[in-house]
């Protein structure tokens, strides 16, 4: 079974500050890892994903994440927060099977202060 | 076309009504999913279709009935719902080959209110 842990429910940063959203996973097989963003009253948009290869993954809107197997982590970062980054962020994991299921963390709300 | 399209965007229905949610994708993805999302919660998997066959049913009540008429369409038929079924219903699709995993693409959802 797979699981994702996102500690905390809310992160607040100032505009221009570093964004760091933490994600730890548990998986018995090599995982696929994802970060999704959800703006109010919208669906989920894929920010980035790790499947194989390079462990530092770059995504849209200046976000990136690093897969660290030894720490079972996949933290999301952005060097400089923008007001438009305020949203709900979900980390998710799936296995590599044909009928894989995407398992989400509980999500974290990012607020950006002017 | 790189989108998953869901209709309607909003739906209000009574507890005795029958309605359907529709999901469509033209990316050639052969796996399609229904998720339910309550406010301030992560999406919860309901059903998985793989090559138009139901492969996973996460013990969803029978008042929710999925249907996959073809490789591009996924429906969710609703009947005799309860107010607690009010939520955002998300459709997603995914595809993988022997060498590439394309991940999941989500639609924008149908906001369902049961009165």
């Amino acid at each position: 079974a797979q699981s994702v842990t996102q500690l905390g429910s809310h992160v607040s940063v100032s505009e221009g500050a570093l964004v760091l959203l933490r994600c730890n996973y548990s998986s018995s097989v090599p995982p696929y890892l994802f970060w999704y963003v959800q703006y109010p009253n919208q669906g989920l948009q894929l920010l980035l994903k790790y499947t194989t290869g390079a462990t530092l993954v770059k995504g849209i809107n200046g976000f990136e994440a690093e897969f660290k197997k030894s720490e079972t982590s996949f933290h999301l970062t952005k060097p400089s927060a923008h007001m438009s980054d305020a949203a709900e962020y979900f980390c998710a994991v799936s296995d590599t099977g044909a009928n894989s299921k995407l398992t989400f963390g509980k999500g974290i709300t990012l607020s950006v202060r002017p | 076309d790189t989108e998953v399209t869901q209709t309607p965007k909003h739906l209000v229905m009574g507890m005795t009504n029958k309605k359907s949610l529709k999901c469509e994708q033209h990316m050639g993805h052969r796996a399609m999913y229904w998720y339910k999302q309550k406010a301030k919660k992560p999406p919860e998997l309901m059903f998985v279709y793989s090559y138009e066959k139901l492969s996973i049913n996460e013990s969803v009540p029978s008042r929710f009935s999925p249907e996959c008429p073809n490789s591009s369409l996924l429906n969710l038929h609703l009947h005799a719902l309860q107010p607690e079924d009010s939520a955002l219903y998300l459709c997603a699709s995914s595809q993988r080959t022997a060498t590439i995993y394309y991940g999941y693409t989500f639609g924008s959802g149908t906001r369902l209110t049961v009165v």
Side-chain angles (χ1 to χ4, degrees):
Chain A
Q2 304 163 97
S3 65
V4 172
T5 301
Q6 293 183 254
L7 291 178
S9 60
H10 186 222
V11 169
S12 181
V13 300
S14 297
E15 191 173 20
L18 172 72
V19 175
L20 171 61
L21 303 180
R22 299 180 185 275
C23 173
N24 288 88
Y25 70 91
S26 173
S27 177
S28 57
V29 297
Y32 291 152
L33 294 160
F34 307 82
W35 275 100
Y36 284 90
V37 61
Q38 187 174 33
Y39 299 100
N41 299 312
Q42 294 189 25
L44 278 72
Q45 182 181 12
L46 180 66
L47 280 176
L48 47 79
K49 66 179 185 290
Y50 170 79
T51 54
T52 59
T55 56
L56 182 61
V57 180
K58 294 187 184 299
I60 62 171
N61 302 339
F63 285 94
E64 63 181 37
E66 186 171 11
F67 171 61
K68 292 187 176 180
K69 184 178 179 180
S70 61
E71 299 178 8
T72 61
S73 69
F74 191 57
H75 302 330
L76 182 71
T77 61
K78 182 175 181 177
S80 177
H82 192 272
M83 297 296 291
S84 61
D85 294 327
E88 190 80 10
Y89 290 80
F90 293 97
C91 182
V93 63
S94 79
D95 62 29
T96 58
N99 291 327
S100 64
K101 301 193 300 184
L102 193 62
T103 301
F104 289 90
K106 63 182 176 65
I108 191 159
T109 302
L110 175 66
S111 300
V112 182
R113 304 184 301 271
Chain B
D1 188 351
T2 59
E3 291 187 344
V4 174
T5 302
Q6 290 188 245
T7 55
K9 292 192 181 304
H10 300 274
L11 178 62
V12 179
M13 62 184 291
M15 290 188 285
T16 59
N17 291 159
K18 288 184 179 180
K19 297 287 184 182
S20 296
L21 310 184
K22 180 180 175 181
C23 173
E24 192 167 4
Q25 58 90 11
H26 296 286
M27 295 177 283
H29 291 181
R30 302 312 297 271
M32 296 185 75
Y33 311 80
W34 281 114
Y35 282 82
K36 174 183 178 179
Q37 186 181 26
K38 302 284 275 184
K40 300 295 185 183
K41 297 291 186 182
E44 297 177 353
L45 182 65
M46 300 175 72
F47 303 103
V48 179
Y49 272 83
S50 179
Y51 290 86
E52 296 96 70
K53 294 190 185 303
L54 183 64
S55 61
I56 296 176
N57 177 341
E58 292 288 299
S59 302
V60 178
S62 60
R63 58 185 184 268
F64 296 91
S65 175
E67 177 196 21
C68 190
N70 59 56
S71 60
S72 299
L73 283 175
L74 185 66
N75 299 320
L76 186 63
H77 303 298
L78 315 173
H79 174 53
L81 294 193
Q82 303 297 311
E84 58 265 29
D85 296 322
S86 299
L88 181 67
Y89 287 84
L90 294 163
C91 176
S93 67
S94 71
Q95 180 69 341
R96 70 183 68 200
T97 67
T99 54
I100 298 176
Y101 181 59
Y102 294 94
Y104 294 70
T105 301
F106 281 84
S108 58
T110 293
R111 176 74 60 188
L112 174 66
T113 303
V114 181
V115 298

